Amino acid sequence: MLNDRVLVRGEADGERSTTGGILIPATVQTSRRLAWAEVVAAGPNVRTMEVGDKVLFNPEDRYEVEVRGEDYVILRERDVHALASGRLEDSPTGLYL
């Protein structure tokens, strides 16, 4: 990865289900819902994230890429809205916002 780019592996865009078990098809338009993903690689200028961290981002602000048959997303560091990491245990919420 170069500069401030982050490579993440997230949930596939497809059918989702609610906690009650109702299936929501992939064709349903959801309102500006953010998505969680796991950091797989980070560029040398990324300051706040490490490999293995969970990040929250807007699925509309992404570039998709396929590497060795797996789908990944490339984000800029500034496009990440929140960071959840075990190494941030000092924070009462466990999130770095």
Side-chain angles (χ1 to χ4, degrees):
M1 299 307 304
L2 298 174
N3 299 322
D4 67 340
R5 301 300 196 265
V6 180
L7 185 69
V8 298
R9 177 180 32 228
E11 297 177 9
D13 292 337
E15 290 185 346
R16 294 182 294 125
S17 62
T18 64
T19 54
I22 298 172
L23 280 176
I24 302 171
T27 56
V28 172
Q29 215 36 300
T30 58
S31 62
R32 311 254 329 149
R33 183 180 180 95
L34 299 177
W36 286 99
E38 180 182 354
V39 175
V40 177
N45 295 336
V46 175
R47 299 168 297 184
T48 57
M49 290 168 262
E50 295 178 359
V51 174
D53 290 346
K54 293 274 190 180
V55 294
L56 185 67
F57 68 98
N58 184 355
E60 294 176 5
D61 299 333
R62 67 181 183 177
Y63 298 100
E64 296 180 9
V65 64
E66 183 179 334
V67 178
R68 296 183 182 156
E70 290 193 48
D71 292 328
Y72 296 96
V73 176
I74 296 177
L75 302 169
R76 290 183 176 174
E77 184 177 20
R78 69 179 184 203
D79 293 334
V80 173
H81 296 282
L83 171 67
S85 173
R87 62 188 168 82
L88 300 172
E89 294 173 2
D90 296 338
S91 174
T93 62
L95 293 175
Y96 176 77
L97 302 172

